[in-house]
Amino acid sequence: MNLIKKNEIPVDVYIPFVETLFRDGLTLSIGFFAQTLLVVLVYWKTMDPAYLAVTLGLLAVAFLRLRNIRKYRHAPSPQNWEEARRRENDYILYGSMHGFMLGAFCFVGIYLAYDPFAEIAAVCVTLASATSIAGRNYGSPRMVVIFIMTMTWPISLGFILRGDPYHFILGLLSAPFLFAIKRFADLVREVLFAALSEEKKANRIAQRFNRALNTMSHGLVMLGPDGRVAVANAEAAHLMSLKSPDALLGRSIHGLLMRGVAGGMLAPKDCRYIEAQLTRALREGRDRKVLVSLANGQHYEFSAREGSQELGVITFEDVTARVEAEDKIRFMARYDNLTGLPNRAYFHELVGEAMVSGDRDRLCGLAVLDLDDFKSVNDTLGHPIGDGLIYAVAERLAAIARQDITVSRFGGDEFMIFFDRVEDESHLTSQLDEIFAGLQGEVDVAGHGLRIQASGGAVLSRVKDTDVDAMIVKADLALYKAKELGKNSWRLFEASMDAAFRNRQLMKADLRTAVESKGLRVVYQPIVAMSTMRIASCEALCRWDHPDLGPISPSIFIPLAEEMGIISEISTFVLQAACAECAKWPDQTSVSVNLSAKDFRNRDVIQKVRDALAGSGLAASRLEIEVTETALLDDKSLTRQYIEELKQIGVHIALDDFGTGYSSLSYLHKLPLDKIKIDRSFLMDVTQNPRSLELLKGIVNLSRPLGLSVTVEGVETFEQLKILALQVKPDLVQGFLFGSALSASGIETMSNTVWPFAKDINIAKRAARR
């Protein structure tokens, strides 16, 4: 028998099969009534007690089987395989009894109590019942087999026992009938099994689709061919303030959007625009997106596209976070992170847009502001304090911004102001004077009282005659002029500034040519020993003789070289020339070369000195390298390392312009120096100011115990030299009192010469001892 074993089919399919066995009690009741009536009719005709026994047995089976059907028809579905199996076994028990009674009726009518009417009646009612075997019992293969056996085998047995050939053959023909019924029942069960399996799959797919639809972050509605909602998800209902997606079904696009208008989320004009865009996208079959800002600050992006089977799909997504992130990125790209003012690029964009609109014949102005000595704030107090100062200035400038005035931080300590509509020059002047007056004063930055001081440059132009870049260039030129004239003020651009700028650019080009062609020359300023009044050393100084302009002051071309980034090339030239010339001088004469701050930013300075010494053959002890405090401020640890390596070579190190910086005394302690050169500013009023004299004496007395020799620069009068000799007593002196800088041959000639006022100094010393 084809029995269903556990795990042969899934339990979720087996349980529905078992439930089908108890589904139809009405037709079973009608069948029992017809069968019992026919058996009673045969008994009435024959009065044979065998038919009475069949009648009573059939009534008993009908009662038991119908009670069993009623018991399970209204019971809850089985929870597991075992419970379903018990119900099937109960059904088979009473079904087998039913089949047995019908088979007994046939056997009695055909063989035991033969009667022609009884035979026909028994065979007809049994075969009629057999036709329902497959339709009613396909859910239980065991029941199908048992019904076929109990109903058809007694018929076959009765015909075979009749003995004649015809009945014998008729009895054998029950086998194909049994097979047909069995096959039909299997086919029905397979079809149902496939249907149930597909239904399960469809249900699972539907559940997954429903779960995906209602858990997606996007709102979604699908429109049918009539333009009304056929499918909607929970997010769509939530946006429309509805409890269930079912409430959206049947609504049109217009109805959906009007729901948002009624809730105060959309403006009517937005509603009309969105509806037009979405309808057009669905009609044309193209994707279209519409960004909508709601009244509560949220942002939704609506998308429409044509789906399959004439279904249109509309999705809407909460893109508030994305829009806010884009706004933040846009802000960061346009505004300065520290001050919140428009940055350089956005200022250029804003001013450019302003200048191309409106009256092109109007006047406009642009000013650039730069904080004076801002680098010293960063160097001494740190960048956070510097940032605080910039923020304080930005706050004051932001207060003047309005529709026709745009303020920007260009970077660093530079600010830009654009005046869109200016009446005349006096109008621009009064506005800038007011701005500068508002900047004046002291601000507190992290407990530090800092005074704001700025320089500015401005330009006034007609919109049609200029552009943003041209105005910025001219304002920068005016700024340079303001700084040249003493800072803490502003200047208006003049045509002469442009000429000066062009000349400056030409001078830069000529200087580069002079450096590349070695068109510079080196002169030497004597450094005289106080004890002998002879030249002990000299300082190598660079000079430039312009072919057209004549001699150019170092105060002009050295800053130009630093600005151009070629100062190190000049340092190399002076170093090589000085070493080569000093090698020709008497052994007691040395040379001093000033290296720039840029030279000490690179390790190449060590090799540069080695090459100069090796190329000239000069003893390292006769070379002195002067270090400026600027070089020390850039990177103290790195500069110290380079100085120590230079000391290992054998050269001497001098600290130039001592006393003009911020922390010179610390260098005496930390750096391996051989000499300090006291700046000329300490000597200017030494003959009149006792404080200056005491300060000079203090520096000398402080340096000597540290093993440092002292040079005083800027000696210009005999009175200054006399005070130095009698009271300060430095080791060396340097200045115009000993003449202008000499050529290399001049130094060689004067190396053994004693200065003529040496005698007067000695007389003064003897008089002081008395």
Side-chain angles (χ1 to χ4, degrees):
M1 297 198 315
N2 186 16
L3 301 180
I4 297 178
K5 298 179 181 179
K6 188 173 184 179
N7 298 328
E8 188 178 41
I9 61 174
V11 66
D12 57 345
V13 176
Y14 175 55
I15 289 175
F17 276 176
V18 172
E19 289 183 314
T20 61
L21 301 175
F22 303 96
R23 206 168 274 172
D24 189 7
L26 178 60
T27 57
L28 185 61
S29 300
I30 294 173
F32 268 121
F33 175 77
Q35 293 164 4
T36 304
L37 181 62
L38 193 57
V39 176
V40 170
L41 186 60
V42 171
Y43 172 69
W44 183 267
K45 177 180 179 296
T46 61
M47 298 303 291
D48 192 316
Y51 294 107
L52 178 60
V54 171
T55 301
L56 295 175
L58 194 58
L59 287 172
V61 170
F63 172 76
L64 295 173
R65 191 175 184 198
L66 290 175
R67 186 182 67 173
N68 180 253
I69 294 292
R70 189 178 300 109
K71 172 183 177 182
Y72 291 118
R73 184 172 59 191
H74 301 293
S77 297
Q79 299 300 310
N80 49 52
W81 179 281
E82 287 73 16
E83 185 177 350
R85 192 68 163 180
R86 284 196 299 271
R87 294 190 186 187
E88 183 189 8
N89 290 337
D90 284 353
Y91 182 85
I92 291 174
L93 173 63
Y94 297 111
S96 300
M97 294 169 62
H98 187 187
F100 175 78
M101 292 311 301
L102 291 177
F105 179 35
C106 292
F107 187 75
V108 170
I110 294 172
Y111 181 72
L112 290 182
Y114 173 73
D115 179 81
F117 175 72
E119 181 182 21
I120 294 173
V123 172
C124 286
V125 73
T126 302
L127 292 181
S129 299
T131 57
S132 67
I133 291 176
R136 177 185 296 279
N137 302 283
Y138 61 82
S140 175
R142 291 186 294 160
M143 189 72 261
V144 171
V145 173
I146 291 172
F147 266 134
I148 292 172
M149 293 171 58
T150 56
M151 289 184 183
T152 59
W153 285 11
I155 295 175
S156 298
L157 181 61
F159 284 144
I160 291 172
L161 291 178
R162 290 281 287 275
D164 61 280
Y166 300 103
H167 284 86
F168 183 82
I169 294 173
L170 185 60
L172 294 178
L173 288 176
S174 63
F177 181 69
L178 181 149
F179 175 78
I181 294 176
K182 175 67 171 60
R183 179 60 186 156
F184 180 64
D186 290 343
L187 182 62
V188 171
R189 186 171 62 257
E190 290 172 3
V191 171
L192 182 61
F193 176 77
L196 286 174
S197 297
E198 292 304 319
E199 181 183 9
K200 294 289 185 182
K201 291 180 182 178
N203 288 338
R204 284 195 294 269
I205 293 173
Q207 289 173 358
R208 291 170 183 172
F209 172 75
N210 186 63
R211 187 177 299 111
L213 186 67
N214 289 296
T215 55
M216 63 189 299
S217 59
H218 297 39
L220 179 144
V221 294
M222 297 180 69
L223 305 176
D226 59 352
R228 296 187 176 275
V229 178
V231 177
N233 69 352
E235 184 63 22
H238 173 70
L239 176 63
M240 299 298 175
S241 300
L242 297 172
K243 294 183 179 179
S244 169
D246 295 338
L248 294 173
L249 302 181
R251 295 175 183 259
S252 63
I253 295 178
H254 180 75
L256 292 175
L257 296 176
M258 289 307 296
R259 175 78 185 181
V261 174
M265 304 295 286
L266 290 174
K269 62 177 182 179
D270 292 335
C271 177
R272 290 191 294 272
Y273 172 72
I274 298 170
E275 181 179 0
Q277 293 295 317
L278 297 181
T279 303
R280 180 180 177 185
L282 293 173
R283 183 176 64 252
E284 297 177 355
R286 295 187 301 172
D287 290 354
R288 190 177 296 273
K289 294 184 177 183
V290 183
L291 182 63
V292 180
S293 298
L294 304 184
N296 62 357
Q298 288 183 296
H299 303 273
Y300 273 80
E301 186 175 71
F302 286 74
S303 301
R305 63 185 66 84
E306 185 180 14
S308 59
Q309 300 178 356
E310 299 183 353
L311 290 177
V313 180
I314 297 177
T315 59
F316 35 95
E317 177 187 7
D318 185 351
V319 293
T320 304
R322 189 191 78 191
V323 171
E324 290 176 350
E326 290 173 350
D327 289 343
K328 185 175 181 179
I329 293 172
R330 191 178 299 108
F331 181 88
M332 293 172 65
R334 292 181 170 182
Y335 293 89
D336 176 57
N337 186 49
L338 174 62
T339 64
L341 295 174
N343 59 20
R344 178 189 296 264
Y346 192 42
F347 176 82
H348 201 288
E349 179 183 337
L350 291 174
V351 174
E353 291 175 354
M355 294 181 70
V356 299
S357 62
D359 180 15
R360 297 277 295 166
D361 200 46
R362 72 185 189 274
L363 288 172
C364 65
L366 187 142
V368 56
L369 276 67
D370 185 271
L371 299 184
D372 294 336
D373 302 319
F374 179 72
K375 186 176 184 300
S376 65
V377 175
N378 278 337
D379 291 341
T380 57
L381 301 177
H383 288 277
I385 303 300
D387 288 346
L389 179 60
I390 289 174
Y391 183 81
V393 173
E395 276 190 316
R396 299 191 180 190
L397 292 177
I400 68 170
R402 53 179 185 264
Q403 185 174 0
D404 58 342
I405 297 180
T406 304
V407 180
S408 166
R409 182 193 177 198
F410 251 43
D413 60 328
E414 189 176 50
F415 296 87
M416 201 74 67
I417 308 174
F418 175 72
F419 303 88
D420 189 18
R421 299 181 184 278
V422 181
E423 297 174 5
D424 50 31
E425 183 177 323
S426 62
H427 182 210
L428 178 62
T429 299
S430 63
Q431 291 188 86
L432 283 173
D433 285 341
E434 185 178 344
I435 290 171
F436 267 77
L439 284 178
Q440 299 301 316
E442 191 173 273
V443 294
D444 182 273
V445 180
H448 297 275
L450 303 178
R451 179 167 294 278
I452 299 176
Q453 182 175 309
S455 298
V459 60
L460 181 66
S461 302
R462 292 202 178 275
V463 172
K464 65 180 181 181
D465 298 331
T466 189
D467 57 35
V468 183
D469 292 327
M471 294 183 74
I472 291 175
V473 170
K474 292 178 179 179
D476 278 336
L477 293 176
L479 170 65
Y480 296 149
K481 191 63 176 179
K483 285 185 175 292
E484 286 179 10
L485 297 176
K487 303 180 180 179
N488 197 28
S489 64
W490 70 275
R491 296 278 296 182
L492 188 64
F493 172 79
E494 300 171 358
S496 60
M497 296 178 185
D498 187 51
F501 173 74
R502 296 180 186 278
N503 291 335
R504 183 181 178 87
Q505 297 305 110
L506 291 174
M507 187 172 289
K508 283 183 178 180
D510 292 341
L511 177 60
R512 185 178 297 277
T513 301
V515 171
E516 292 175 352
S517 63
K518 298 188 182 302
L520 304 178
R521 62 187 178 90
V522 180
V523 295
Y524 304 89
Q525 186 175 45
I527 301 175
V528 178
M530 283 294 297
S531 59
T532 63
M533 281 297 156
R534 296 176 185 271
I535 296 176
S537 179
C538 57
E539 182 177 356
L541 303 173
C542 188
R543 294 292 183 263
W544 178 29
D545 298 318
H546 194 279
D548 298 322
L549 303 177
I552 305 297
S553 171
S555 63
I556 294 176
F557 76 81
I558 293 299
L560 277 181
E562 291 176 341
E563 184 179 329
M564 296 166 60
I566 60 174
I567 189 65
S568 290
E569 297 175 34
I570 295 178
S571 298
T572 302
F573 167 75
V574 173
L575 179 65
Q576 292 176 347
C579 289
E581 295 297 338
C582 186
K584 303 174 185 177
W585 301 339
D587 292 344
Q588 73 273 13
T589 307
S590 60
V591 69
S592 178
V593 178
N594 196 328
L595 296 185
S596 69
K598 185 179 178 182
D599 290 315
F600 281 94
R601 293 177 192 154
N602 195 309
R603 170 168 204 86
D604 292 344
V605 67
I606 310 299
Q607 191 59 43
K608 185 184 298 185
V609 172
R610 290 182 185 274
D611 292 343
L613 293 173
S616 63
L618 181 69
S621 60
R622 296 178 64 192
L623 174 63
E624 182 176 84
I625 299 297
E626 294 188 14
V627 183
T628 63
E629 189 170 343
T630 305
L632 300 174
L633 284 173
D634 285 346
D635 192 331
K636 294 180 182 179
S637 61
L638 196 60
T639 304
R640 177 188 175 90
Q641 177 185 338
Y642 294 158
I643 290 175
E644 288 176 345
E645 293 188 34
L646 289 173
K647 289 278 288 181
Q648 291 174 4
I649 296 174
V651 301
H652 297 286
I653 306 296
L655 178 61
D656 195 17
D657 299 332
F658 180 80
T660 60
Y662 298 97
S663 55
S664 297
L665 292 178
S666 67
Y667 302 144
L668 304 184
H669 170 65
K670 295 180 180 179
L671 298 177
L673 302 173
D674 297 293
K675 178 192 295 184
I676 62 171
K677 300 185 72 174
I678 300 176
D679 187 71
R680 66 181 66 245
S681 60
F682 287 86
L683 194 63
M684 291 177 63
D685 61 346
V686 72
T687 58
Q688 291 89 22
N689 191 343
R691 292 174 62 89
S692 297
L693 177 59
E694 291 301 322
L695 186 58
L696 276 174
K697 291 166 63 178
I699 295 174
V700 173
N701 294 332
L702 180 67
S703 303
R704 286 239 168 81
L706 298 177
L708 300 174
S709 62
V710 179
T711 300
V712 176
E713 298 179 298
V715 181
E716 298 180 359
T717 67
F718 180 75
E719 290 300 319
Q720 291 175 335
L721 180 63
K722 184 177 177 181
I723 290 176
L724 291 176
L726 298 178
Q727 300 188 52
V728 179
K729 300 178 182 179
D731 300 289
L732 302 162
V733 289
Q734 177 181 349
F736 288 121
L737 177 63
F738 304 99
S740 300
L742 303 174
S743 64
S745 59
I747 293 293
E748 186 175 4
T749 302
M750 298 282 294
S751 60
N752 292 315
T753 301
V754 178
W755 252 259
F757 38 71
K759 182 178 179 181
D760 297 330
I761 294 297
N762 290 329
I763 293 173
K765 287 182 179 179
R766 287 196 295 271
R769 284 197 293 270
R770 292 195 193 102

